[in-house]
Amino acid sequence: MELGALKNTLIQGMGWLSVVIGLVSLAILNISLLSGYNLQIENKFSSWVFISSILGVISLINKKSRSLGLWGLGISIFIGVFVMTIFVLGWTIVPFP
């Protein structure tokens, strides 16, 4: 296999990994909000979102994996904005717990 084809495959794999990590972290966020329990995986939640966004930015380099990178980056940004919005709304309701 050529080095260019291997590079394209690797970057496209990073794009798919970004999307999958983003969807898994979104599912974990939904499960924790719906169940009301603190999951043990929740401690590593911010690192998963960070890794997903980094992989999404890396996969934006290649033209074939650009859409996957945008999906992964979009999911990560959505999770970040959602968590900040919930925090701000919760802070306005009960400012001092």
Side-chain angles (χ1 to χ4, degrees), residues 45 49 75-85:
F45 182 72
V49 172
I75 292 170
S76 300
I77 290 171
F78 173 76
I79 291 172
V81 169
F82 177 75
V83 168
M84 284 190 282
T85 303

Side-chain angles (χ1 to χ4, degrees), residues 26-90:
L26 188 62
I28 288 173
L29 179 67
N30 284 334
I31 289 169
S32 66
L33 287 175
L34 289 174
S35 65
Y37 297 115
N38 290 331
L39 299 174
Q40 293 178 357
I41 302 172
E42 220 171 42
N43 297 335
K44 299 178 184 177
F45 182 72
S46 62
S47 63
W48 284 9
V49 172
F50 181 71
I51 290 171
S52 175
S53 60
I54 293 296
L55 289 174
V57 169
I58 290 173
S59 65
L60 286 176
I61 295 170
N62 195 355
K63 190 172 185 175
K64 290 183 179 179
S65 65
R66 191 166 292 156
S67 63
L68 292 171
L70 286 174
W71 273 99
L73 202 58
I75 292 170
S76 300
I77 290 171
F78 173 76
I79 291 172
V81 169
F82 177 75
V83 168
M84 284 190 282
T85 303
I86 293 300
F87 177 76
V88 168
L89 289 175

Side-chain angles (χ1 to χ4, degrees), residues 1-20:
M1 190 186 290
E2 271 183 32
L3 187 60
L6 181 66
K7 182 181 131 183
N8 289 340
T9 305
L10 184 66
I11 291 177
Q12 195 167 10
M14 286 183 184
W16 277 110
L17 192 62
S18 170
V19 171
V20 168

